[in-house]
Amino acid sequence: MEMVPSEENQFVPKEGVFWSCRQSIFDELKRISQIQNAAEEPRVLCIIQDITSAKTVNERLTLNLPASTTLSKLYEDVAHKAGYVNGTFDLAWGNAPDMAPLDNSSEMSLSDSGFEPGGKRNFLQLTDKDGEQPQIASDESGTAESSGLDDSSQERFIGPLPRDSTPGCSDYSSPSYSYSSILNKSETGYVGLVNQAMTCYLNSLLQTLFMTPEFRNALYNWEFEEPEEDPVTSIPYQLQRLFVLLQTSKKRAIETTDVTRSFGWDSSEAWQQHDVQELCRVMFDALEQKWKQTEQADLINQLYQGKLKDYVRCLECGYESWRIDTYLDIPLVIRPFGASQAYGSVEEALQAFIQPETLDGPNQYFCERCKKKCDARKGLRFLHFPYLLTLQLKRFDFDYTTMHRIKLNDRMTFPEELDMSPFIDVEDEKSPQTESCTDSGAENEGSCHSDQMSNDFSTDDCVDEGICLDSTGSTERVLKPKSLLTFELFSVMVHSGSAAGGHYYACIKSFSDGQWYSFNDQHVSKITQDDIRKTYGGSSGSRGYYSSAFASSTNAYMLIYRLKDPSRNAKYLAVEDFPEHIKSLVQKEKESEEQEKRQREIERNTCKIKLFCVHPVKMMMESKLEVHKDKTLREATEMAYKLMELEAVVPLDCCRLVKYDEFHEYLERSYEGEEDTPMGVLLGGVKSSYMFDLLLETRRPEQVFQPYKPGEVMVKVHVVNLKSETIASPISVRAYLNQTITEFKQLIAQATGLSTETMRVVLERCYNDLRLLYVPNKTLKAEGFFRSNKVFVESSELTDHQVAFTDSLLWKLLDRHGNTIRLLVLLPEQSPGTLANRTLCQKVGDSDAPSEGSKGNRKSVEAILEESTEKLKNLSLQQQQGSSTITNTSTNTNTSDSQKSSDASDFEHIESPTQEADSNSSLCVAADNRELENRIRATPVASGGASSDQENHFTCEERSDSEVNNDRSTSSVDSDILSSSHSSDTLCNADSGPIQLANGLDSHSITSSRRSKAHEGKKETWETAEEDSGTDSEYDDNGKSKAEAHYLYFKAEPCSQEDAAGDAQKCLVVHVDKRITLAAFKQNLEPYVGVSSTQFKVFRVYANNQEFESVRLNETLSSFSDDNKITIRLGRALKKGEYRVKVYQLLVNEPEPCKFLVDTVFAKGMTVRQSKEELLPQLKEQCKLDLGIDRVRLRKKTWKNPGTVFLDYHVYEEDISISSNWEVFLEVLNEPEKMKSMSQLAVLTRRWSPSTMKLGPFQEVILESSSVEELKEKLSEISDIPLENLEFAKGRGTFPCDISVLEIHQDLDWNPKVSTLNVWPLYICDDGAVVFYRGSTEEPLELSDDERNELMKKESSRLLKTGHRVSYSPRKEKALKIYLDGGPAKDTGQD
């Protein structure tokens, strides 16, 4: 029998292979069948966010599981995919992290546990279990040590935590980070610190101090005496508490807010990033102050302070002058100034630190022994080193090429053990005449010399060198031989980022086990020596001077070494060895932590949900109900009853809690028979937010609660009365979505008493979307009903239901109701009848016309306005209806109604516009109202027996072309401009003529217009308003009014409102259809303002009381909402292509160089000269400035800076960009304009005289090019300074670039080495730049101290008054301060 090898490498018969293959096929088919069955089963999409560490918080695990999967299987799948040990983590709902986690042992299926199948995303969060981080699952066994990988082979994390992880990524590994290398706190044994915002620098230093045994133990030995000091402001006590928590807490990370509060910092300090070395010095100073007169008074000096000698030695006689200095850290230069190569190691930088420099040539030193200037050697010598040696690597520098701060990322190595013996009394070149100073530490400074010179330095020179081990402060010191000056590295503070900002973290070696750890805020992990070497900085290749630009930005910034001395090296205090006061503090913190844990457990089991109540007295109230999930509905109802303060108003048994949707105002369901059900069950568990609310419903004792069943929908029914044209308040009705329209009508009939035979039901599906429900058998669901709905019902015997719905009165009334808004219009204080430019004149040829009695004349105007308005409206209506006549009845009715509405007017000089016109009197109104009168004169009158005399002529002034053109367009078609009477409530439409609106239409019918929730609570600001770049004309190209399309509803009611001063201000409450254009709206306001719409302006008032002019006449009021404010101001309104311009006078030699003159109007296409021609008469009239057109110029204004000079032939919007509310400078010239071309450059120059300490006046210089040489020639001409001696500098800041005369000589960049003005550092590319100049040979005035102080006071006063001083400097960092008195002093005089 032929044998073949099987998969197990055993030989089997060939027939066995056949049967084996057959069985495999059957198994595969079975598996495919199972897959198909599983495919038919609904699946649940789970998206899990791992929030157990900062690294994984942005990552997602995605699982697509069958709906029958159990919760325990879900935990297993998540553990497998995340690489955790099952049972060491919890899963909680992502939208309810405070809710109890899912049961990891439950056999309940996902579908039964609240998961939604069918492709819907179910968000979960993977969290710590009992405050412990999840354990990492190893490949084979349960520990990392037994996995076969040692520390050196495992990839570890070192550096700042990445913040840009790709969402949705389920792989926990990255090239620089292995998730399995992060050990939880039970394995590392260390606790992290929470970063408040930008406090990583603080966390790094605190962890370093904590890991310093000598500092930690000394801090524990200090005892806080509470009666003498507030614990909140005690820095040592808060540090002590923090260290105790770091050593004993079970948390993964703890807060540092108590420590920063003891510093006197507020929350804003957390957002300030500072230098860790600066913090170290400031904190040590604060601790020294706090520890005065205690055993720890000299602790900082004992641990961190060293001494060095700063000396200068004469190279001729050997005389030496010296000073003893102390230091807490040694700053080491990374790259010497001007050098292209950095120091390669710390040892090399230390050698450079003590390398002396030779003072020769002009820098010679004056020797007191030689009595002359001699060559000398200046340098530093270390006298002794501290026990804890701190080295600062100066990686932050200033680049004088770019004038910016930079970070040097060059490579600098540092050893794990540093021998400091070579750096004591080292001198490269020994002078034949040197001396050794004995007892150098006895005095702070002095000089010494010796007649007996030695050629060498030796250890017999009695120099105080080595380590000062005196802990008692006595003068006797024990000297360490140089051979024992070996320090071991134990802390590396790393900075990652640039000079503008970055992140600090610390790499610290534990003295307990010698293991290195990375303390990165709340994250603590093990690292190796290789990770330490990665902080050297630099790059693999050499790139010369710019090598640091291409190097890693993560590198060491501060190094801390400890002296290797077994007799002094301390160990960490164990918990059992704590002093008694620390043990009591540990117990206190433990109890506090347990209390916090219990409180957190309560919070996790507390349901927090919005609660509403229609209070019988206080109306709608809102609060938050916080109830434990095990509390019953009855208990929750009692809690809500007390929360809403109903004890003395409604009995408890008349209240119940129901499920409520506040957004849709929908009662979802009631809970009959579930009074003893726990709230956690009713609400669906503990969640951070719920998709519904609760309503505490109340009833009267004789009433019975109506049950609300799930599946019902709420309908607000508004009854419409077509006869009175009113819409009633809503009645609530509950229905089912499967009900038909016929059944729904019967339900409404029961609630309203209306007849179902003539009933029409209109559904408002969304904002102003009206749908007539006319199909009897159609269900509510098919018609678009939802949770909460609004319907309008009407049942009358009118024939209105026989016409199409969109042509019916019902539709028009609902349409008007949905689009009407209420506006508050503030009228101008100045009465139209008293305007100076309004002229009363008699009618030509009528000698009997009254010549006095302004009131009678005003009435005549108003009568003409009212009469013409009504006739023009009727003419418009006649055209729309196609009829040839207009009944006087409708006009008289409207007149009567409008009479009623206007009787309440109490406005001075504004009479009722419904009085009949007096045909025997007429009024001539000049300029502002002429256009309106011409339209009135040109319109035939046909009502009330009041006829207009077609022969009447008015004596008027000469009219402009625009007015003549407007006169030519006064046809009956155009007469609709005045078709909307201010006092009429008539809605005109094409089908049924004027529809009278009852004056009794209550405010509810208007104000309850369709206000979407998006508009409620929306805060408008001036910044959000769209800026109008131009205006539109009220008339189209054919001269027709753009407002004549159809008459939209407008009704105004006079009222008054108090202004800020408490005076009554005239205003109108206007109900208007928001589809009306601004042009038509202004025309409707004409009778109230008293002038033509072209003679007043409309300003919209925003929530912050800022006003913005509305000028786009063809836009509607759709952006307005109820109760918006509008202010009316008299003045000519803008036409299309016109812009309002503010004109300021430029006074270059005045203390206040910018003075407002007038508001004027410039038009598109106008030349600069034309604008000057129109501007000069205005200046003469309003500002009393009589100027010639050739002696003024206009120029660009940018804030307070003068800019481009506008030439006469420039055209606005072609050569000059112009916008709304534009600002421009007007400058008066002493001589005719010299600027003739755009290629010229106008520069403002000012002479600085150092010999007199004075600045001259501004003088303008016109340059033909951007040449520096030409500028210097021009300056030489006007100043008589020789060209070779002339120096100049560009002014800084805002015009006039003020600067103190004490600073100008040194602070400005004089005589820049450039040939053209348009390059750095000048950048003079436009007119208006300020240039200071001086003579190089002029010596500054020598001032005495008194004179300087006096001048400083004068300059400070001058600069303070002008307010133009701008310090030219980069953004200043806030100084780091620790306040020993609990906080900064409040100085109200400072900004």
Side-chain angles (χ1 to χ4, degrees), residues 213-225 236 240 243-244 291 294-296 299 570-571 573 577-582:
E214 291 77 11
F215 185 89
R216 188 204 298 187
N217 298 345
L219 185 63
Y220 282 170
N221 290 327
W222 175 80
E223 185 174 357
F224 174 68
E225 298 178 0
Q240 197 178 70
F243 282 14
V244 166
W291 276 335
T294 67
E295 292 183 6
Q296 289 75 20
L299 175 66
K571 295 182 179 180
L573 271 181
D577 298 329
F578 281 171
E580 289 302 320
H581 66 276
I582 297 295

Side-chain angles (χ1 to χ4, degrees), residues 49 101 145 387 404 666 681 715 733 773 822 1207 1263 1351 1381:
Q49 179 189 22
E145 285 77 8
Y387 177 71
H404 286 95
Y666 169 54
V681 176
V715 184
V733 174
L773 309 180
R822 182 181 61 248
L1207 305 180
L1263 304 177
L1351 185 58
D1381 55 353

